[in-house]
mmCIF file with all atom_site columns, all heavy atoms in Angstrom:
data_model
loop_
_atom_site.group_PDB
_atom_site.id
_atom_site.type_symbol
_atom_site.label_atom_id
_atom_site.label_alt_id
_atom_site.label_comp_id
_atom_site.label_asym_id
_atom_site.label_entity_id
_atom_site.label_seq_id
_atom_site.pdbx_PDB_ins_code
_atom_site.Cartn_x
_atom_site.Cartn_y
_atom_site.Cartn_z
_atom_site.occupancy
_atom_site.B_iso_or_equiv
_atom_site.pdbx_formal_charge
_atom_site.auth_seq_id
_atom_site.auth_comp_id
_atom_site.auth_asym_id
_atom_site.auth_atom_id
_atom_site.pdbx_PDB_model_num
ATOM 1   N N   . LYS B 1 116 ? -6.645  12.095 -12.297 1.00 0.00 ? 116 LYS B N   1
ATOM 2   C CA  . LYS B 1 116 ? -6.396  12.967 -13.434 1.00 0.00 ? 116 LYS B CA  1
ATOM 3   C C   . LYS B 1 116 ? -7.604  13.811 -13.795 1.00 0.00 ? 116 LYS B C   1
ATOM 4   O O   . LYS B 1 116 ? -7.441  14.840 -14.468 1.00 0.00 ? 116 LYS B O   1
ATOM 5   C CB  . LYS B 1 116 ? -5.991  12.110 -14.665 1.00 0.00 ? 116 LYS B CB  1
ATOM 6   C CG  . LYS B 1 116 ? -4.594  11.605 -14.633 1.00 0.00 ? 116 LYS B CG  1
ATOM 7   C CD  . LYS B 1 116 ? -4.325  10.795 -15.898 1.00 0.00 ? 116 LYS B CD  1
ATOM 8   C CE  . LYS B 1 116 ? -2.921  10.226 -15.926 1.00 0.00 ? 116 LYS B CE  1
ATOM 9   N NZ  . LYS B 1 116 ? -2.693  9.414  -17.164 1.00 0.00 ? 116 LYS B NZ  1
ATOM 10  N N   . GLU B 1 117 ? -8.778  13.404 -13.344 1.00 0.00 ? 117 GLU B N   1
ATOM 11  C CA  . GLU B 1 117 ? -10.001 14.152 -13.668 1.00 0.00 ? 117 GLU B CA  1
ATOM 12  C C   . GLU B 1 117 ? -10.038 15.495 -12.969 1.00 0.00 ? 117 GLU B C   1
ATOM 13  O O   . GLU B 1 117 ? -10.698 16.427 -13.445 1.00 0.00 ? 117 GLU B O   1
ATOM 14  C CB  . GLU B 1 117 ? -11.236 13.325 -13.295 1.00 0.00 ? 117 GLU B CB  1
ATOM 15  C CG  . GLU B 1 117 ? -11.394 12.097 -14.153 1.00 0.00 ? 117 GLU B CG  1
ATOM 16  C CD  . GLU B 1 117 ? -12.580 11.262 -13.766 1.00 0.00 ? 117 GLU B CD  1
ATOM 17  O OE1 . GLU B 1 117 ? -13.401 11.693 -12.912 1.00 0.00 ? 117 GLU B OE1 1
ATOM 18  O OE2 . GLU B 1 117 ? -12.677 10.121 -14.258 1.00 0.00 ? 117 GLU B OE2 1
ATOM 19  N N   . PHE B 1 118 ? -9.288  15.631 -11.853 1.00 0.00 ? 118 PHE B N   1
ATOM 20  C CA  . PHE B 1 118 ? -9.395  16.906 -11.140 1.00 0.00 ? 118 PHE B CA  1
ATOM 21  C C   . PHE B 1 118 ? -8.048  17.422 -10.565 1.00 0.00 ? 118 PHE B C   1
ATOM 22  O O   . PHE B 1 118 ? -7.955  18.536 -10.099 1.00 0.00 ? 118 PHE B O   1
ATOM 23  C CB  . PHE B 1 118 ? -10.436 16.835 -9.977  1.00 0.00 ? 118 PHE B CB  1
ATOM 24  C CG  . PHE B 1 118 ? -10.057 15.823 -8.922  1.00 0.00 ? 118 PHE B CG  1
ATOM 25  C CD1 . PHE B 1 118 ? -9.340  16.166 -7.830  1.00 0.00 ? 118 PHE B CD1 1
ATOM 26  C CD2 . PHE B 1 118 ? -10.512 14.507 -9.036  1.00 0.00 ? 118 PHE B CD2 1
ATOM 27  C CE1 . PHE B 1 118 ? -9.014  15.239 -6.875  1.00 0.00 ? 118 PHE B CE1 1
ATOM 28  C CE2 . PHE B 1 118 ? -10.216 13.557 -8.094  1.00 0.00 ? 118 PHE B CE2 1
ATOM 29  C CZ  . PHE B 1 118 ? -9.450  13.933 -6.997  1.00 0.00 ? 118 PHE B CZ  1
ATOM 30  N N   . LEU B 1 119 ? -7.014  16.586 -10.656 1.00 0.00 ? 119 LEU B N   1
ATOM 31  C CA  . LEU B 1 119 ? -5.708  17.015 -10.168 1.00 0.00 ? 119 LEU B CA  1
ATOM 32  C C   . LEU B 1 119 ? -4.701  17.147 -11.307 1.00 0.00 ? 119 LEU B C   1
ATOM 33  O O   . LEU B 1 119 ? -4.724  16.330 -12.232 1.00 0.00 ? 119 LEU B O   1
ATOM 34  C CB  . LEU B 1 119 ? -5.099  15.970 -9.194  1.00 0.00 ? 119 LEU B CB  1
ATOM 35  C CG  . LEU B 1 119 ? -5.528  16.015 -7.737  1.00 0.00 ? 119 LEU B CG  1
ATOM 36  C CD1 . LEU B 1 119 ? -4.764  14.910 -6.964  1.00 0.00 ? 119 LEU B CD1 1
ATOM 37  C CD2 . LEU B 1 119 ? -5.319  17.326 -7.085  1.00 0.00 ? 119 LEU B CD2 1
ATOM 38  N N   . PRO B 1 120 ? -3.849  18.206 -11.251 1.00 0.00 ? 120 PRO B N   1
ATOM 39  C CA  . PRO B 1 120 ? -2.823  18.268 -12.270 1.00 0.00 ? 120 PRO B CA  1
ATOM 40  C C   . PRO B 1 120 ? -1.810  17.142 -12.094 1.00 0.00 ? 120 PRO B C   1
ATOM 41  O O   . PRO B 1 120 ? -1.612  16.627 -10.989 1.00 0.00 ? 120 PRO B O   1
ATOM 42  C CB  . PRO B 1 120 ? -2.202  19.663 -12.035 1.00 0.00 ? 120 PRO B CB  1
ATOM 43  C CG  . PRO B 1 120 ? -2.607  20.068 -10.666 1.00 0.00 ? 120 PRO B CG  1
ATOM 44  C CD  . PRO B 1 120 ? -3.842  19.282 -10.305 1.00 0.00 ? 120 PRO B CD  1
ATOM 45  N N   . ALA B 1 121 ? -1.147  16.793 -13.164 1.00 0.00 ? 121 ALA B N   1
ATOM 46  C CA  . ALA B 1 121 ? -0.176  15.681 -13.203 1.00 0.00 ? 121 ALA B CA  1
ATOM 47  C C   . ALA B 1 121 ? 0.938   15.902 -12.155 1.00 0.00 ? 121 ALA B C   1
ATOM 48  O O   . ALA B 1 121 ? 1.372   14.966 -11.509 1.00 0.00 ? 121 ALA B O   1
ATOM 49  C CB  . ALA B 1 121 ? 0.417   15.541 -14.575 1.00 0.00 ? 121 ALA B CB  1
ATOM 50  N N   . ILE B 1 122 ? 1.319   17.164 -11.949 1.00 0.00 ? 122 ILE B N   1
ATOM 51  C CA  . ILE B 1 122 ? 2.407   17.442 -11.018 1.00 0.00 ? 122 ILE B CA  1
ATOM 52  C C   . ILE B 1 122 ? 2.001   17.031 -9.588  1.00 0.00 ? 122 ILE B C   1
ATOM 53  O O   . ILE B 1 122 ? 2.825   16.486 -8.838  1.00 0.00 ? 122 ILE B O   1
ATOM 54  C CB  . ILE B 1 122 ? 2.868   18.931 -11.072 1.00 0.00 ? 122 ILE B CB  1
ATOM 55  C CG1 . ILE B 1 122 ? 4.159   19.098 -10.269 1.00 0.00 ? 122 ILE B CG1 1
ATOM 56  C CG2 . ILE B 1 122 ? 1.774   19.840 -10.577 1.00 0.00 ? 122 ILE B CG2 1
ATOM 57  C CD1 . ILE B 1 122 ? 5.355   18.539 -10.922 1.00 0.00 ? 122 ILE B CD1 1
ATOM 58  N N   . LYS B 1 123 ? 0.721   17.225 -9.228  1.00 0.00 ? 123 LYS B N   1
ATOM 59  C CA  . LYS B 1 123 ? 0.294   16.842 -7.901  1.00 0.00 ? 123 LYS B CA  1
ATOM 60  C C   . LYS B 1 123 ? 0.183   15.315 -7.744  1.00 0.00 ? 123 LYS B C   1
ATOM 61  O O   . LYS B 1 123 ? 0.400   14.785 -6.688  1.00 0.00 ? 123 LYS B O   1
ATOM 62  C CB  . LYS B 1 123 ? -1.026  17.519 -7.512  1.00 0.00 ? 123 LYS B CB  1
ATOM 63  C CG  . LYS B 1 123 ? -0.842  18.986 -7.221  1.00 0.00 ? 123 LYS B CG  1
ATOM 64  C CD  . LYS B 1 123 ? -2.024  19.616 -6.553  1.00 0.00 ? 123 LYS B CD  1
ATOM 65  C CE  . LYS B 1 123 ? -1.747  21.048 -6.207  1.00 0.00 ? 123 LYS B CE  1
ATOM 66  N NZ  . LYS B 1 123 ? -2.870  21.687 -5.497  1.00 0.00 ? 123 LYS B NZ  1
ATOM 67  N N   . ILE B 1 124 ? -0.148  14.642 -8.835  1.00 0.00 ? 124 ILE B N   1
ATOM 68  C CA  . ILE B 1 124 ? -0.187  13.183 -8.804  1.00 0.00 ? 124 ILE B CA  1
ATOM 69  C C   . ILE B 1 124 ? 1.228   12.651 -8.577  1.00 0.00 ? 124 ILE B C   1
ATOM 70  O O   . ILE B 1 124 ? 1.435   11.734 -7.797  1.00 0.00 ? 124 ILE B O   1
ATOM 71  C CB  . ILE B 1 124 ? -0.844  12.621 -10.055 1.00 0.00 ? 124 ILE B CB  1
ATOM 72  C CG1 . ILE B 1 124 ? -2.307  13.073 -10.133 1.00 0.00 ? 124 ILE B CG1 1
ATOM 73  C CG2 . ILE B 1 124 ? -0.766  11.088 -10.078 1.00 0.00 ? 124 ILE B CG2 1
ATOM 74  C CD1 . ILE B 1 124 ? -3.026  12.757 -11.406 1.00 0.00 ? 124 ILE B CD1 1
ATOM 75  N N   . LEU B 1 125 ? 2.199   13.237 -9.291  1.00 0.00 ? 125 LEU B N   1
ATOM 76  C CA  . LEU B 1 125 ? 3.582   12.823 -9.098  1.00 0.00 ? 125 LEU B CA  1
ATOM 77  C C   . LEU B 1 125 ? 4.052   13.136 -7.688  1.00 0.00 ? 125 LEU B C   1
ATOM 78  O O   . LEU B 1 125 ? 4.749   12.340 -7.060  1.00 0.00 ? 125 LEU B O   1
ATOM 79  C CB  . LEU B 1 125 ? 4.482   13.552 -10.112 1.00 0.00 ? 125 LEU B CB  1
ATOM 80  C CG  . LEU B 1 125 ? 4.307   13.094 -11.557 1.00 0.00 ? 125 LEU B CG  1
ATOM 81  C CD1 . LEU B 1 125 ? 5.118   13.965 -12.490 1.00 0.00 ? 125 LEU B CD1 1
ATOM 82  C CD2 . LEU B 1 125 ? 4.739   11.606 -11.731 1.00 0.00 ? 125 LEU B CD2 1
ATOM 83  N N   . LYS B 1 126 ? 3.632   14.275 -7.165  1.00 0.00 ? 126 LYS B N   1
ATOM 84  C CA  . LYS B 1 126 ? 3.984   14.621 -5.762  1.00 0.00 ? 126 LYS B CA  1
ATOM 85  C C   . LYS B 1 126 ? 3.358   13.624 -4.803  1.00 0.00 ? 126 LYS B C   1
ATOM 86  O O   . LYS B 1 126 ? 3.954   13.279 -3.776  1.00 0.00 ? 126 LYS B O   1
ATOM 87  C CB  . LYS B 1 126 ? 3.506   16.038 -5.434  1.00 0.00 ? 126 LYS B CB  1
ATOM 88  C CG  . LYS B 1 126 ? 4.380   17.105 -6.038  1.00 0.00 ? 126 LYS B CG  1
ATOM 89  C CD  . LYS B 1 126 ? 3.891   18.499 -5.628  1.00 0.00 ? 126 LYS B CD  1
ATOM 90  C CE  . LYS B 1 126 ? 4.791   19.580 -6.239  1.00 0.00 ? 126 LYS B CE  1
ATOM 91  N NZ  . LYS B 1 126 ? 4.306   20.928 -5.802  1.00 0.00 ? 126 LYS B NZ  1
ATOM 92  N N   . LEU B 1 127 ? 2.176   13.134 -5.114  1.00 0.00 ? 127 LEU B N   1
ATOM 93  C CA  . LEU B 1 127 ? 1.531   12.142 -4.281  1.00 0.00 ? 127 LEU B CA  1
ATOM 94  C C   . LEU B 1 127 ? 2.360   10.856 -4.252  1.00 0.00 ? 127 LEU B C   1
ATOM 95  O O   . LEU B 1 127 ? 2.609   10.287 -3.203  1.00 0.00 ? 127 LEU B O   1
ATOM 96  C CB  . LEU B 1 127 ? 0.115   11.838 -4.801  1.00 0.00 ? 127 LEU B CB  1
ATOM 97  C CG  . LEU B 1 127 ? -0.576  10.599 -4.163  1.00 0.00 ? 127 LEU B CG  1
ATOM 98  C CD1 . LEU B 1 127 ? -0.799  10.795 -2.689  1.00 0.00 ? 127 LEU B CD1 1
ATOM 99  C CD2 . LEU B 1 127 ? -1.864  10.266 -4.902  1.00 0.00 ? 127 LEU B CD2 1
ATOM 100 N N   . LEU B 1 128 ? 2.784   10.395 -5.434  1.00 0.00 ? 128 LEU B N   1
ATOM 101 C CA  . LEU B 1 128 ? 3.619   9.197  -5.476  1.00 0.00 ? 128 LEU B CA  1
ATOM 102 C C   . LEU B 1 128 ? 4.886   9.377  -4.691  1.00 0.00 ? 128 LEU B C   1
ATOM 103 O O   . LEU B 1 128 ? 5.327   8.479  -3.937  1.00 0.00 ? 128 LEU B O   1
ATOM 104 C CB  . LEU B 1 128 ? 3.928   8.857  -6.939  1.00 0.00 ? 128 LEU B CB  1
ATOM 105 C CG  . LEU B 1 128 ? 2.728   8.546  -7.862  1.00 0.00 ? 128 LEU B CG  1
ATOM 106 C CD1 . LEU B 1 128 ? 3.207   8.295  -9.265  1.00 0.00 ? 128 LEU B CD1 1
ATOM 107 C CD2 . LEU B 1 128 ? 1.934   7.369  -7.300  1.00 0.00 ? 128 LEU B CD2 1
ATOM 108 N N   . LYS B 1 129 ? 5.500   10.553 -4.829  1.00 0.00 ? 129 LYS B N   1
ATOM 109 C CA  . LYS B 1 129 ? 6.717   10.817 -4.090  1.00 0.00 ? 129 LYS B CA  1
ATOM 110 C C   . LYS B 1 129 ? 6.437   10.880 -2.565  1.00 0.00 ? 129 LYS B C   1
ATOM 111 O O   . LYS B 1 129 ? 7.199   10.364 -1.772  1.00 0.00 ? 129 LYS B O   1
ATOM 112 C CB  . LYS B 1 129 ? 7.335   12.141 -4.567  1.00 0.00 ? 129 LYS B CB  1
ATOM 113 C CG  . LYS B 1 129 ? 8.643   12.477 -3.885  1.00 0.00 ? 129 LYS B CG  1
ATOM 114 C CD  . LYS B 1 129 ? 9.221   13.777 -4.435  1.00 0.00 ? 129 LYS B CD  1
ATOM 115 C CE  . LYS B 1 129 ? 10.504  14.088 -3.644  1.00 0.00 ? 129 LYS B CE  1
ATOM 116 N NZ  . LYS B 1 129 ? 11.010  15.431 -3.965  1.00 0.00 ? 129 LYS B NZ  1
ATOM 117 N N   . ALA B 1 130 ? 5.340   11.532 -2.185  1.00 0.00 ? 130 ALA B N   1
ATOM 118 C CA  . ALA B 1 130 ? 4.989   11.640 -0.769  1.00 0.00 ? 130 ALA B CA  1
ATOM 119 C C   . ALA B 1 130 ? 4.703   10.280 -0.145  1.00 0.00 ? 130 ALA B C   1
ATOM 120 O O   . ALA B 1 130 ? 5.126   10.002 0.972   1.00 0.00 ? 130 ALA B O   1
ATOM 121 C CB  . ALA B 1 130 ? 3.794   12.557 -0.611  1.00 0.00 ? 130 ALA B CB  1
ATOM 122 N N   . GLU B 1 131 ? 4.006   9.411  -0.879  1.00 0.00 ? 131 GLU B N   1
ATOM 123 C CA  . GLU B 1 131 ? 3.738   8.070  -0.368  1.00 0.00 ? 131 GLU B CA  1
ATOM 124 C C   . GLU B 1 131 ? 5.052   7.308  -0.154  1.00 0.00 ? 131 GLU B C   1
ATOM 125 O O   . GLU B 1 131 ? 5.212   6.659  0.881   1.00 0.00 ? 131 GLU B O   1
ATOM 126 C CB  . GLU B 1 131 ? 2.839   7.293  -1.336  1.00 0.00 ? 131 GLU B CB  1
ATOM 127 C CG  . GLU B 1 131 ? 1.425   7.687  -1.332  1.00 0.00 ? 131 GLU B CG  1
ATOM 128 C CD  . GLU B 1 131 ? 0.560   6.946  -2.337  1.00 0.00 ? 131 GLU B CD  1
ATOM 129 O OE1 . GLU B 1 131 ? 1.012   6.701  -3.482  1.00 0.00 ? 131 GLU B OE1 1
ATOM 130 O OE2 . GLU B 1 131 ? -0.549  6.527  -1.943  1.00 0.00 ? 131 GLU B OE2 1
ATOM 131 N N   . ALA B 1 132 ? 5.909   7.375  -1.142  1.00 0.00 ? 132 ALA B N   1
ATOM 132 C CA  . ALA B 1 132 ? 7.207   6.671  -1.026  1.00 0.00 ? 132 ALA B CA  1
ATOM 133 C C   . ALA B 1 132 ? 8.015   7.233  0.138   1.00 0.00 ? 132 ALA B C   1
ATOM 134 O O   . ALA B 1 132 ? 8.624   6.483  0.931   1.00 0.00 ? 132 ALA B O   1
ATOM 135 C CB  . ALA B 1 132 ? 7.971   6.798  -2.337  1.00 0.00 ? 132 ALA B CB  1
ATOM 136 N N   . SER B 1 133 ? 8.020   8.537  0.255   1.00 0.00 ? 133 SER B N   1
ATOM 137 C CA  . SER B 1 133 ? 8.777   9.171  1.338   1.00 0.00 ? 133 SER B CA  1
ATOM 138 C C   . SER B 1 133 ? 8.229   8.829  2.697   1.00 0.00 ? 133 SER B C   1
ATOM 139 O O   . SER B 1 133 ? 8.942   8.496  3.650   1.00 0.00 ? 133 SER B O   1
ATOM 140 C CB  . SER B 1 133 ? 8.737   10.698 1.137   1.00 0.00 ? 133 SER B CB  1
ATOM 141 O OG  . SER B 1 133 ? 9.368   11.369 2.198   1.00 0.00 ? 133 SER B OG  1
ATOM 142 N N   . PHE B 1 134 ? 6.909   8.811  2.820   1.00 0.00 ? 134 PHE B N   1
ATOM 143 C CA  . PHE B 1 134 ? 6.240   8.471  4.069   1.00 0.00 ? 134 PHE B CA  1
ATOM 144 C C   . PHE B 1 134 ? 6.584   7.005  4.422   1.00 0.00 ? 134 PHE B C   1
ATOM 145 O O   . PHE B 1 134 ? 6.929   6.720  5.560   1.00 0.00 ? 134 PHE B O   1
ATOM 146 C CB  . PHE B 1 134 ? 4.728   8.655  3.971   1.00 0.00 ? 134 PHE B CB  1
ATOM 147 C CG  . PHE B 1 134 ? 4.000   8.318  5.243   1.00 0.00 ? 134 PHE B CG  1
ATOM 148 C CD1 . PHE B 1 134 ? 3.911   9.244  6.260   1.00 0.00 ? 134 PHE B CD1 1
ATOM 149 C CD2 . PHE B 1 134 ? 3.444   7.066  5.434   1.00 0.00 ? 134 PHE B CD2 1
ATOM 150 C CE1 . PHE B 1 134 ? 3.244   8.939  7.438   1.00 0.00 ? 134 PHE B CE1 1
ATOM 151 C CE2 . PHE B 1 134 ? 2.781   6.765  6.623   1.00 0.00 ? 134 PHE B CE2 1
ATOM 152 C CZ  . PHE B 1 134 ? 2.667   7.686  7.622   1.00 0.00 ? 134 PHE B CZ  1
#
Side-chain angles (χ1 to χ4, degrees):
K116 284 180 180 179
E117 293 176 12
F118 63 91
L119 277 182
I122 191 72
K123 286 194 177 183
I124 296 171
L125 290 172
K126 285 181 179 181
L127 169 64
L128 299 177
K129 183 179 177 188
E131 286 179 317
S133 175
F134 182 83

